[in-house]
Amino acid sequence: MKRRLPRASVALSCACALVVMQAAQAEAASRTVNFNYSHLWLTPEFKTGGGAVHFTVKNCNYPKRDMTVLLRATGGINTDIGTETIKCRAGARATIGKGLKPGTFELELGKLDDGKRFKGTGTISFAAPK
């Protein structure tokens, strides 16, 4: 009986920890977008379950150039949440809006209007709405 009690308590502790970890994880959602712009480009709107929004560049034709990523809330009055400047190269990532409440948003991608067009693909990732 003495050996079973510690084993049972360890098993119960592991089971409880697993349940807590699974409950804490939010479901993630993502959208892949193709961009092609010379100055500004808006993504389609997307709904989130709250928390930060991430934009990751998959590929870009000008990998050494800077691009801006601006997050805007579009529910009601449009409100700029934050912006980040990243390189337009594969793997570059912007994270904006930590601690956001659930809502509807869009990203605005921008760059210096120098006559060159940024063409590429990116992924928007966020917590899925419930």
Side-chain angles (χ1 to χ4, degrees), residues 2-17:
K2 289 181 180 180
R3 288 183 127 183
R4 290 184 187 173
L5 187 59
R7 287 182 186 168
S9 64
V10 168
L12 183 60
S13 297
C14 289
C16 288

Side-chain angles (χ1 to χ4, degrees), residues 11-23:
L12 183 60
S13 297
C14 289
C16 288
L18 182 60
V19 168
V20 168
M21 286 176 52
Q22 287 178 343

Side-chain angles (χ1 to χ4, degrees), residues 25-45:
Q25 292 177 346
E27 284 194 44
S30 66
R31 305 283 182 271
T32 298
V33 292
N34 295 311
F35 54 87
N36 181 354
Y37 66 98
S38 60
H39 182 54
L40 296 174
W41 184 76
L42 294 175
T43 68
E45 290 184 341

Side-chain angles (χ1 to χ4, degrees), residues 38-91:
S38 60
H39 182 54
L40 296 174
W41 184 76
L42 294 175
T43 68
E45 290 184 341
F46 52 92
K47 292 186 180 200
T48 76
V53 174
H54 310 277
F55 178 76
T56 306
V57 177
K58 286 184 159 182
N59 61 63
C60 181
N61 61 332
Y62 286 103
K64 294 182 180 181
R65 299 238 177 180
D66 289 338
M67 67 187 298
T68 58
V69 181
L70 179 135
L71 178 65
R72 179 178 296 125
T74 58
I77 298 172
N78 287 357
T79 307
D80 292 351
I81 304 299
T83 187
E84 195 170 317
T85 301
I86 60 174
K87 293 291 184 190
C88 192
R89 67 170 166 248

